[in-house]
Structure formats: C-alpha cells, structure tokens
Amino acid sequence: MAASMIGSKVERKEDKKFLTGKGRYTADITLANQTFAYFIRSPHARAKIKNIDTSKAKKASGVIDVLTAKELNEDKIGGLIAGWKIVSKDGTDMKIPPHPALASDSVNYVGDHVALVVAETLQQARDAAELVKVDYKVLKAVVNTGDAMNSESIHDGIDKNLSFDWELGDKAKTDEAFASADKIVKMTLTNNRLVPNAMEPRASIGDFNPSSEELTLYTTSQNPHLSRLVMSAFNAIHPEHKFRIVAPDVGGGFGSKIYPYAEDVVVAWAAKRLQRPVKWVCERTDSFLSDCHGRDHITNCELAIKNDGTVTGLKVDTIANLGGYASLFATVTPTYLYGPLVLGLYNIASAYCNVKAVYTNTAPVDAYRGAGRPEATYMIERLMDKAAKEMGMDRAEFRKKNFIRQFPHQQCLVHNIDSGDYEAHFNRALELSDYSNFEKRKAESAAKGKLRGIGFSTYIEACGIAPSAAVMSLGAGVGLWESAEIRFNATGNISVMTGTHSHGQSHDTTFAQIVADKLGVPMENIDLVHGDTDKGPFGMGTYGSRSLAVGGTAIAKACDKIVEKGKKVAAHMLEANPDEIEFKDGEFIVPNSNKKKTIGEIAFACYLPGTYGEIKSPLPEGVEPGLKETAFYDPVNFSFPAGSHVCEVEVDPTTGETKVDTYTCVDDFGNLINPMIVEGQIHGGLAQGIGQALYENAYYDETGQLVTASYMDYTMPRADNFPEFRIDYTCTPATSNPLGVKGCGEAGAIASPPAVMNAVIDAIGTEVSMPATSEKVWKALKDKSDTKKKAA
C-alpha cells in the first residue's frame, strides 16, 4: 500500500527554480519594440491641479508620449472601484469618491498618479518627467485618523470625511449586559499603519496586438482573473474575451497585490493607445508611497464582567482610516473581516461593534496579511489581558474560563464555528512555554538588571474566504468560489489548472500532493498551471487563507470526477460493472480477482476512441474521448483556524531595547497537507506580526508627507530579532470542506502582535502603544519612575 502524500513533509518543488535564479518575474520580461514608462506623482498630500504642461516633455529625446487624465477621459477609461458595498447604520450606502487612474482635478495623497511619460528608455522617461510642469494649489492636508471627522472634507459631497458608519450586533442587549456588570474594563488602542513591503515591487507590462486586437498585461498580481474582470467591466480597458492577464512568478504579496492598481490600468491602456509594449517597474520609494498600506485603526473598547470572571458583554468603537480613496477591498476589511471576529475565542453572550471609516490625505489602506483579523485579535487580547489584571485573576485562567467549549457554536454576532478545541491548544502552549516556571526566569533576568514579561494571545480567523451566498448578501460584488481543471495527458502526466495564484504559498507542492494522493500518480508527473487567464478556468485568486480550503477542494473534486470516468472505462476494459470497480493507489481493480488497470493505462485508453485494424476502442459507448475534468467549489461556511501563542520578552530598562527571548505557538489548522510548508508560513507571519509590535510604523507628518518612505526610516525586522520559534499543532478538522483543512497563511501575523505587546507591558508594568520601540519603552519607564517619585 502506497504511503499517503497528504500530511507528508515533501520538499518544495519550487525551490530549485528560485534558488538557482531561474524564476521569471514581471521585471524579467522584455518584449520586442518595448517602451518604458515613468509615473509623475503628486509631491503634495492635498492639492487642486490648476494646469499640467507637457509640451516640453513631449519634445524631449526619445519620448513617445506624455499621457494625462485628458487623454484618459478621451478614451473613456473608468476609475478604480471599491468592490464591497457597506451600508451605514442609518440605511445609507457608503460614500465613495471618484478615483481616477490619473488625477484630473485634485490629488489626495503624496504619490497620487498625475501623468505618465512613455519613452524609448527608462532614463529618457525619467529625464522628460522633470520637464512636465504641474501647477498645484496646495490645500491643508487631513492626516490624523482620529481628527478626520472634525476636519475639512477632502472630497466634495462627503461630510466629515466619513465613508460609512457601520454597526454589528445587538446594541440594546449589550447595553443591558453592561448595566448589570459587576465590573467594566475600558481601553483605547491604536493599531499602527504598516507598509506591506513585498520583496518584489509591483510591475506591469502592457502589450497590444493590433492584428488580433488582443491585449496582454503582465503584472504582479495575486488575482489575475479578478483583475481582468474589474479592468474590463469597470475601467473599460478592453473586452474581457480579448484581454489576457499573466501573473508570472510573484515575489510576495501579503494582500497588497490582490487588486488592480492605477498603474495596471494606465500601462494597459497606454500600450493599447500607442500600439507598442509599455513596461513599468516600481521603485522602492514609490512602493512606500503608493502601495496600499495596512491596519491604521483607533479603537475604544469595553468589557462587561461578572465577579466570578465571566465576560458578559463587549463594546467596540473603531475609526478605520481608508486613506485618500476607497481601494477594492478597503471597505470590507474593517467591517465584515473585523467586526465578527472581535469576540475572539470567547463565549460572550452580547456584543456591539461600530466602525466609522474615514478618508485622509494618505495612501489608500486595504487588505494586508490577516486583513481585519489582526486588528480584531489585537483589540480583544489586549482587553482580556487588562481585564484579568484588574480582576486580580491569572491571565491564562481568565482566558480559559471564557473559552467556547461546545461545537458547533453560533456566536452572538455572525459566525457559526464548526469545530475547535481551544483549551487543548492553549494548555499545550502553556506546557511548551514552561509557564509554570516563568517566575524563576523573571528572577534570573532581574539579577542581570533586565525586566522580563510574558504575554498570551489566542486567536480565531474566518478563512477560506468563499461562501458566495454569505459574502454577496453582505455586499461583495462577486461570488468567491474557486475552480480547477485536471487534464490527464495520453502519456500519463497531468496538468492541473487552478484559479488561485501562488506567490510564496507553495501551491506547486501542496496541490501536487493532493493530486498524487487522490490519483496515485508520482508528484514529478504533475504540473501546476496558474496565473494566466488564458489557461484554465476562471478563478478568484489567493488571499484570506482560501487557496487550500477552496482551491484545493476544487482540485480534489476534479480528481474525483477523473476517477469516476476512469471507473467506467476500466469496467469496460475489465468486463465488469462500473459499480464493482474500486480505485486505490493509482489502480482500478475488480475485487476478488487479479483484474486491474493502472490509471495511466486508463488515461491512454481514453485517447483511443476509434478502431484501427484489430484494435478496438476501449471506451464504452457514449463516453467522450479524453480525460479532462473541471470542478468549481463554493463552500457552505468559512473555515475557522485558531490557536494560542505565548511570548516572553526581556527589556533593558537603561535603553528600552526589547528582546523576544522565546516564542511558542500551538495552532489548529485542521488537517495539514504539508507540515513543513505550514511551518514556513507560520515563520513568515510571526516575522511580520513581531515587526508590527516592535518596529514597523508608517508615519505621516502634519503636511501629509510620508516620513518613513525608505528603509532608512521604516524599520523592518531582521533575522537576529527573532528567537527559535517553538511550533506545535492540535487538530480538529474543518467540516466545511472535504479536505478538513482550515488555512494557515495569516495566523502568525494575527496572533503575534498582542502576544508580544502583552509581554512588553507585563515586563515594564505600564502601557505602551505599538510599535513598542526602544525609545517609547524607555520613555514609558521614565514616566513611570517620575510618577512614582512625585507620589513619594
């Protein structure tokens, strides 16, 4: 009996290509007769455009054209869209300002797109850009999230800069819980703004074929099919059936490459207009300025508690910064990806969440690894920590007392959680972290003049973003099912087409493991095809930890169809009834006999539909030739990964420097396809989450200039900032998909910020906001010391 491929630590098929420098990224592509593009961006956060003079630039050496909103409007190219409709609590629709791909009348953040120079070389495009004269009337910028509603409106017709005022939950019931509470604990929290910083900057190459009237866009996308749909239907770039989008190897996305950007629209349009290939590659500073940022919340939250430690109610009031415009998924991130998860793992009977989304003169904010789930987890886990301390209870025991224990569990807000065992992974995390001996380690640190703290974080996600009936009822513009096609070639190798996109997730390996397990074919005979809208069925891309739960299940279902057809052919060849045929380890067999055919033999037979001499077709009458099947999968529910993380830090009180000394995580991702790849995903998420907690912060000054627009000012975590991570798993399989998987890509980034911050605050004994930089920690300790001295 062959060993199962599912659950095995198979080495990544992708590694050889990338480690030997043979990856093919958008910037690596060079087309015949290619031109080069350079964007002119606004140097001001808020300004009216009085005039754009391109006359000198158009005459510059090598310049082919300089394009502005004037030409864009002439060709009736539409603006960028917000793809998820949110309704305010008063019943009115969200307020969405126009978002032109090239600014026409005004600019709304530093880096906003004003014009495009296309030239024979990149240097010529750069030189000509300096000759473009833009006359601005500079206006006072609105920058601060908390002040936005009390500032001048930056968009006409949008009072108080308010896009929507959304609510979730039963306010009256929650008010009752607070009225009868023995204790109420309150907090104000800031979730700091982040720059995604994918290793590969964004890039686009447009290529129009005037003979076939086909337009191709090569781009750094997590979601090429959706990008084509949006750019055809809303931007009116080109008819969908003549528009191909190719996302080759992509060097990281973290959510920031899900949606089409202005550059994608303009480059594709320019190539069609000029009828020559146009190539644009983003520079790192422009990435800082114009990539969609993440997070940026200010939240006031309250917990209602009984004397025995039972939490009875939760109130959340959040202001979410959308930036200068509403990006494609910007409106769902602080609402339906955030609000339903504010309850965490806890059995809280009543809750009310209010989110006000505001516009400011900053880069647009959209989905970033976790997208709403990190913000929700940070809020509830920081609040639970504070509540435990104020109640005089052990922070671990306080959490356990309030865990959900019965499944399925209908939360008081939205989700029906199908499976879980929260106490199991929490207890395992306490055991692995040696929580019982923490005080001993704290004393050892004190002997060295250091402050030691321990922090806990539990989390739950709603992943496998897909159930179309659910998401469309909540305002999504499209259903979020997934597709797959399995093509068995006559010689026995397999092409697997998927609508998801791999940009670090290892789909070439994990999806091949599923196919190898289902069909009994060696992994080396399986090839994954993705990222090209001309190959394979329409799909909805990779984000929200959905690829395996939704895309992987579509692949598994297509494999099932292959087996069902194979049984009919095998039955005909083996002179048996299809119902008698069993399929196991790549063979179709007739039980209690020596009759069998390999799946390779069946595949070959499927391509022999006729009669040649004495050789007659093995296909049963009425069965079509070939062995190719397509499946679409739309789950009935989300999947719900969960876990428990424990962090210990050591703080130097003389400098404020914080060292993450140990980090333990025990996660429940359901069934694991490849534990080694899961571990890599956890490592990456932890690095980003710890980075947010201690180092990263996108900071704008009062004029709207991004002060942290380079790696000189925006602190990225490094390898030596992390300890050796202790990783373990528990398993309660998901019931929402037949693979029993839950999703793992975002967990580390979701759970780690509150674990780290709770540890830091435990160490220093006073509040500090993210990121807990050395300077902020040192100042917090100094303020604490000064307060004690004054009190004395």
Side-chain angles (χ1 to χ4, degrees), residues 35-73:
T35 64
F36 293 84
Y38 186 84
F39 279 89
I40 296 165
R41 300 178 184 276
S42 171
H44 307 293
R46 184 179 175 217
K48 295 291 184 183
I49 297 176
K50 298 168 67 177
N51 184 55
I52 303 175
D53 184 357
T54 62
S55 56
K56 288 185 179 179
K58 286 185 175 182
K59 297 174 184 177
S61 176
V63 170
I64 297 160
D65 207 348
V66 181
L67 302 172
T68 66
K70 177 178 177 293
E71 291 77 24
L72 201 72
N73 293 332

Side-chain angles (χ1 to χ4, degrees), residues 27 38 86 181 221 292 357 362 392 478 527 536 564 586 594 604 714 755 780:
Y38 186 84
I86 301 299
S221 175
C292 284
T362 60
V478 292
D527 182 47
E564 285 306 305
N594 61 355
F604 187 71
Y714 187 95

